[in-house]
Structure formats: C-alpha cells, structure tokens
Amino acid sequence: MKNLDKVTPFASSITQGNLATMTILLAEIKISAKDSISCGQKTLLSNYVYEKNGTYKLVYTTVEIDGSIDNYVEDDGILPTLFLSPDQENYVSVIPYHPDKELEISIPIFHREDVEMPKGSRPCTGDFIGTTDAYSIFHDVPFEDNKPDKILAIEFINGKLKKKHNVKIPLPANNRIAICNKVIHLLAHDGSLLLHREIDEKGNVTRSREIDAHDIDVLQTLSASFDKDSYLLAQAKDKIIIEKIDSDGTSEIIELVDFADPLFNTWLPVKIADDTFVTRFNSEFGNGWLTTKNDNLLEIFYSKGEQGYRNLLTNEVLSIQRDKLIISSINKTTEHGYAVVLYPMAGDIADNAELIVLNRRLQ
C-alpha cells in the first residue's frame, strides 16, 4: 500500500493561554468530527472534510502539544475507527468503496509501504478500550435486554495484525470495563452486588468476586485490581464520589465535590499518568471533564453558564468564545498532559466548519 499524501484542508490558528494551548481548524465548507486518539505525544484526529459539491474526503490531522498541525488524506475509506496496536502504533479500521459490499479493513495509518491490502471483514462495533500484551481490545454493549456484552480482540504477532476474535462475555451485561496492567477488568451490577471479574482476551473468566455496591450506580472504573485498591467513579446525593475498594472487597465512599446536576453520560477514563485519569461527562446544562488521582480530585471543568469551561475548584475560566460546545474526545499527550477536541454545535442554517483542540498539562 502507498503512504498517505499530505494535504492542507484547513486554515488554522494557535492561541497560547494560561490554562491551555488552543488550536482552531477552519474548513472552507464543512467538517464532521469522526474520531481521535493519542499519537505518541500528539493527538490524531479523523474527520470528514466536505467540498462545495457535497462530497467529502477522510482527512487525518496530527496536532502537536504546541498546537502545530499536519494533515493527511485517506486514499479510499469511510467510517474510520482509530485504535492502537500493542506496540502503540496508530491503526485505523475503514470501509473502502465497493459497489456491492461493505467490508472493513484494518491498516496502519503511517508507514504503509510494507503493508499488503488485507481482506475485508464485517465492520466491528464497540469502543476501543486499550491494549494487552498482544491484543487491541474493543468493547460493545448491546441495547437488547439480557444480551451479553461482546469483545473484539485484534491479535498481533511480531507487530503485525494477525486475526480478529469476536467474543461474547458471560452475563451479566452492561459491564464497566478497564484494562489495568495489561489485564481486562469488568464490573457489573448483579442485583444488590457488584460483580468484579478479570477475563482474558478470549472472554474466559480468570478471577471473580462479589462486592457490596451500597446501592451506588458505578459510572466508570478508574482502576481495578484484585490485589490492590480499586477506584470507581460515581454520583450520589448531589456529589461526585469515588468508591474505593480494597483487596478484601471492603468499600469506602469518598466525596470529591458538590455537583447537583445529574450526569447523563460519562466516557471511558483516559490515563495520563500513574493513577491519574481524565473523565469526560455531560449533563442537562453542559459538559466538561474531571481529573482524579486515586481518590483525589485535581480539577473539574464545566461549561454550565460559560463561554468555555470553569474549573469549579479554582474558579479559573478556560475561555472559548463559542456557544454550545460539544466535546468530541479527550486523549493523553505527554505525561500529565491531555488534549480536548471540541466543536461548536451547528445551527439550523449553517454547517459546522470548525474544530478546536485544547492542549493542557497539569502543573
């Protein structure tokens, strides 16, 4: 396969601020954010960039921590899903054009000169979770009741993609998932208890225990272990809390911050340093992210009532002169650093032509 060609589809600007470096990408007609992921110490975006005639190209953009960018165009493919190999090489699953079939291929984004075009397979569903020693792991939660969760485990041998394994996880379903120290951990509500399981890449349960859930609905698993403390993120009684569970299964509730607005959604926590995670959320009144280290809250940025985001711990405002910003994704860059990808909500008349990338590092 040939390597990607560089393109210049955006006008861009960089603003250095006290809280973050802001990069703005402006397309001529329209841009549609599809996915993003870490790329070494950079952020890799995949977007559709539209032409005047309504067609679009799939463009990859890398954003450095200083805000500078490079852009590359995909030769043939839509519906990109970005992921990392166990060697932390950037890969993408795309669907090349075919008049009769929609088959997905998974290929490296860069350094394709020694890669042969793979055979296509049925498009996978689910979210990229992370990597174990030899597999890239995706997790899919079905909408149907009593249907088991699924895992797609993409196997690599000697740095090359070998095979895709589709696995059903034994019930209960709707698991919170985390990969900690290359091991897959699942937490699911099972009646009044939390079922904590460790599984291998084929879905086999290798360790299991039951934990008193204290009637708390776990939002995300920050870290999990059978041998050390585990940290779960939750909301209860108008507060965001941590449920800390020790190796004996004894749990402790630790209050992080007053937060009366019910959280509608949270996303998979992003590890940016040892025991340090950034978790994205939204509510009826806005969206934001919070950063925790074990059971300590380091920051919480919230858009409610702001053009931008206010750190509720310090009242510092990360000003962005846009209304109704949507957070597309958050990714690690450097140690203790991360990038937030945003775009303004499109109006009834105008299409969105803008992407914003904030690069921030904890002090």
Side-chain angles (χ1 to χ4, degrees):
M1 298 182 68
K2 69 181 285 287
N3 287 325
L4 301 175
D5 293 325
K6 278 194 171 185
V7 290
T8 53
F10 306 116
S12 65
S13 63
I14 301 170
T15 303
Q16 302 283 351
N18 292 331
L19 298 179
T21 298
M22 180 167 63
T23 302
I24 296 178
L25 308 178
L26 188 63
E28 183 179 359
I29 304 300
K30 176 183 174 183
I31 186 172
S32 177
K34 307 310 292 182
D35 203 357
S36 79
I37 200 167
S38 294
C39 179
Q41 294 190 348
K42 298 180 283 188
T43 300
L44 174 66
L45 316 174
S46 63
N47 305 298
Y48 292 162
V49 181
Y50 285 78
E51 310 283 351
K52 290 181 180 179
N53 61 7
T55 63
Y56 61 84
K57 294 179 180 178
L58 172 55
V59 174
Y60 306 114
T61 300
T62 58
V63 184
E64 302 270 3
I65 57 176
D66 66 2
S68 58
I69 66 169
D70 284 303
N71 303 286
Y72 308 84
V73 63
E74 181 63 74
D75 291 330
D76 181 16
I78 60 170
L79 298 176
T81 300
L82 302 176
F83 65 100
L84 296 171
S85 74
D87 291 336
Q88 305 305 293
E89 184 178 359
N90 287 97
Y91 269 71
V92 64
S93 294
V94 293
I95 299 176
Y97 172 76
H98 189 284
D100 302 315
K101 302 176 182 178
E102 283 197 354
L103 295 178
E104 181 181 83
I105 62 171
S106 298
I107 50 179
I109 291 190
F110 306 109
H111 312 300
R112 296 180 178 181
E113 60 273 11
D114 296 327
V115 177
E116 295 183 5
M117 175 69 77
K119 293 182 179 179
S121 59
R122 289 176 54 190
C124 73
T125 56
D127 299 317
F128 174 62
I129 303 302
T131 61
T132 61
D133 284 329
Y135 294 82
S136 300
I137 304 297
F138 289 76
H139 177 227
D140 183 33
V141 177
F143 290 106
E144 300 89 352
D145 290 337
N146 298 318
K147 289 289 184 72
D149 293 7
K150 297 177 183 178
I151 277 182
L152 170 66
I154 303 179
E155 184 179 6
F156 285 77
I157 297 179
N158 297 324
K160 304 294 184 183
L161 195 156
K162 179 66 175 179
K163 189 176 181 181
K164 297 182 178 181
H165 305 268
N166 288 286
V167 177
K168 291 183 179 179
I169 299 173
L171 291 171
N174 196 26
N175 289 266
R176 304 293 183 262
I177 187 169
I179 297 178
C180 304
N181 297 319
K182 304 293 185 180
V183 176
I184 305 169
H185 290 264
L186 304 172
L187 279 131
H189 288 274
D190 190 13
S192 61
L193 299 173
L194 272 178
L195 180 62
H196 178 195
R197 292 178 288 176
E198 182 181 291
I199 64 170
D200 64 18
E201 295 89 348
K202 303 299 176 64
N204 300 307
V205 178
T206 55
R207 299 177 79 175
S208 179
R209 64 176 176 172
E210 293 180 337
I211 301 166
D212 186 353
H214 295 295
D215 296 321
I216 290 173
D217 184 20
V218 175
L219 299 174
Q220 294 292 340
T221 301
L222 297 171
S223 62
S225 173
F226 281 81
D227 306 310
K228 302 189 301 181
D229 292 340
S230 301
Y231 296 89
L232 314 178
L233 185 69
Q235 185 177 28
K237 298 179 180 178
D238 293 340
K239 298 179 186 295
I240 295 176
I241 64 172
I242 291 288
E243 186 169 2
K244 178 181 176 182
I245 302 167
D246 67 18
S247 58
D248 294 328
T250 303
S251 61
E252 176 187 1
I253 303 303
I254 299 155
E255 297 178 354
L256 295 183
V257 66
D258 293 336
F259 200 92
D261 301 341
L263 297 180
F264 285 173
N265 300 286
T266 57
W267 281 261
L268 189 74
V270 176
K271 186 176 181 178
I272 63 169
D274 287 344
D275 306 315
T276 307
F277 295 85
V278 182
T279 305
R280 174 165 57 115
F281 64 84
N282 67 11
S283 74
E284 179 183 358
F285 306 104
N287 56 45
W289 65 93
L290 57 89
T291 305
T292 52
K293 182 172 184 179
N294 290 329
D295 53 11
N296 294 308
L297 181 64
L298 305 182
E299 60 181 9
I300 175 168
F301 284 92
Y302 192 28
S303 68
K304 181 180 179 180
E306 303 290 342
Q307 278 198 319
Y309 294 85
R310 180 181 296 276
N311 185 350
L312 301 184
L313 298 187
T314 64
N315 273 328
E316 295 172 291
V317 175
L318 205 165
S319 180
I320 307 173
Q321 298 304 306
R322 307 289 188 276
D323 293 319
K324 297 182 179 178
L325 286 165
I326 305 298
I327 300 176
S328 174
S329 54
I330 297 177
N331 298 292
K332 179 183 176 178
T333 52
T334 61
E335 195 78 354
H336 295 98
Y338 60 91
V340 184
V341 184
L342 314 101
Y343 59 89
M345 183 182 294
D348 296 333
I349 299 175
D351 291 324
N352 177 52
E354 188 177 55
L355 272 185
I356 300 168
V357 181
L358 302 175
N359 268 289
R360 174 167 166 77
R361 190 176 188 276
L362 297 184
Q363 301 301 316

